Amino acid sequence: MGSLQLQDFAAGWVGGAVSVFVGHPLDTIKTRLQAGQGYGNTLSCLLTVYRNESVAGFFKGMSFPLASVAVYSSVVFGVFSNTQRLLGQLRHGDPAQPPALPDMLLASTLAGFVSVGIGTPVDLVKIRLQMQTQPRTAADPKLKPAVPGFPVYRGPVHCFRTVLQKEGLPGIYRGAGAMLLRDVPGYCLYFIPYTLLCDWSTPEGGLSPSPSSVWLAGGAAGAISWAVATPMDVVKSRIQADGVYLNKYRGTLDCILQSYHSEGFKVFFRGITVNTVRGFPVSSATFLGYELSLKAMRRGQTETSP
């Protein structure tokens, strides 16, 4: 694999790191709305978290995503870009050939499958930590953590280790089925609108989209993708938050049926507002970080070439 292909992975890492800083506070609100109890609407949840846990409450569980989402984003962007390049080589004999819609669909689908393998443990740890409404040290460690809200985990490493010890590898990959159903269509509606919008906004003969075009296309793609992905995101969040105190759900279908019977169809759209609002700036930051760092690396490579 040449340096040009590796640049996509490196640029994806930058985009992922930037996106965590931008999006984690709203991600915490989204998780509490979807898997928590008694938060009401988005504004009510935001105010409740701030009153009870101050600003730090919005950043719970961020250290693990910051370390891992960058790697996760690196792999997703690297797989997507290199799959497109490989398909261009196979179909047209030119890896730089602009991808057709079927090529983007296949590359997005593959990126979605790969994302589940890396992303499920990351999301599990993040959600378990976000659902702890008080620090572990504030409670009596002798008490049995049998009620929601009781702090079970000391941090991301302790959370990962505890789940692995108690539930094994299946516990680490709890919610993988729901995540697959979320991410495969989600990434198709992430990369394809972004590519089409960038092509549409780039002048004839332009080599790359402007930063403003990247910001707008990335934000729109993120909002579209998250709006469509919200129903399965609700299911995934519930399954992954479930194992802390109880084991209520037996799987993806059971979670869907129980959620529907107890709360109706509207439950699958819980958090759609915060998901869509959050999707715009997070995806804008991701794509800007990716495109600008990729452009900088390619410019550096050109300048150093003999």
Side-chain angles (χ1 to χ4, degrees):
M1 186 179 287
S3 60
L4 186 62
Q5 285 76 20
L6 287 174
Q7 286 176 353
D8 290 303
F9 288 92
W13 188 94
V14 174
V18 172
S19 73
V20 174
F21 280 107
V22 173
H24 195 80
L26 282 173
D27 187 68
T28 298
I29 297 298
K30 181 263 296 182
T31 300
R32 296 282 181 91
L33 282 170
Q34 290 178 343
Q37 299 293 327
Y39 287 109
N41 58 28
T42 301
L43 181 60
S44 171
C45 182
L46 189 150
L47 293 174
T48 301
V49 172
Y50 180 73
R51 273 197 305 267
N52 295 341
E53 305 166 62
S54 78
V55 174
F58 297 105
F59 291 93
K60 281 187 174 176
M62 192 180 81
S63 60
F64 190 64
L66 188 60
S68 52
V69 168
V71 176
Y72 169 82
S73 178
S74 168
V75 173
V76 168
F77 273 84
V79 167
F80 174 75
S81 300
N82 283 286
T83 300
Q84 285 194 131
R85 197 173 286 115
L86 177 62
L87 291 171
Q89 179 67 50
L90 293 174
R91 288 177 183 269
H92 310 287
D94 179 12
Q97 178 76 20
L101 185 59
D103 295 347
M104 288 190 284
L105 190 64
L106 181 58
S108 301
T109 299
L110 185 58
F113 271 97
V114 171
S115 75
V116 173
I118 301 170
T120 303
V122 174
D123 267 17
L124 180 87
V125 171
K126 173 177 67 68
I127 284 172
R128 294 285 178 91
L129 292 172
Q130 285 174 327
M131 292 307 294
Q132 292 192 158
T133 56
Q134 61 183 117
R136 182 184 173 96
T137 52
D140 185 348
K142 296 178 182 178
L143 293 175
K144 185 180 179 181
V147 294
F150 190 98
V152 179
Y153 310 114
R154 290 192 295 269
V157 175
H158 179 254
C159 177
F160 186 89
R161 190 171 63 242
T162 302
V163 174
L164 190 61
Q165 287 172 348
K166 290 185 175 181
E167 305 173 52
L169 201 58
I172 292 295
Y173 279 90
R174 179 190 289 265
M179 192 168 183
L180 190 66
L181 292 172
R182 184 197 73 172
D183 280 7
V184 170
Y187 274 118
C188 289
L189 291 169
Y190 185 65
F191 285 117
I192 294 174
Y194 171 75
T195 304
L196 295 176
L197 285 168
C198 279
D199 288 345
W200 174 75
S201 61
T202 302
E204 189 81 27
L207 295 176
S208 61
S210 66
S212 60
S213 296
V214 170
W215 176 82
L216 184 60
I224 292 167
S225 174
W226 272 109
V228 172
T230 293
M232 289 314 301
D233 189 51
V234 171
V235 175
K236 181 198 72 70
S237 293
R238 290 185 162 215
I239 293 171
Q240 291 186 321
D242 181 43
V244 184
Y245 308 103
L246 303 168
N247 282 299
K248 184 179 178 181
Y249 306 117
R250 293 190 300 271
T252 302
L253 182 59
D254 183 52
C255 181
I256 292 171
L257 293 174
Q258 283 198 50
S259 298
Y260 175 73
H261 287 147
S262 62
E263 298 172 73
F265 189 67
K266 68 181 185 298
V267 70
F268 300 110
F269 296 92
R270 187 177 287 179
I272 192 169
T273 301
V274 71
N275 257 352
T276 306
V277 170
R278 170 182 168 272
F280 195 102
V282 168
S283 297
S284 293
T286 302
F287 279 108
L288 272 172
Y290 173 78
E291 295 285 4
L292 294 177
S293 57
L294 190 62
K295 187 180 290 186
M297 284 184 280
R298 286 175 174 170
R299 184 167 59 244
Q301 186 184 42
T302 303
E303 289 173 356
T304 56
S305 296

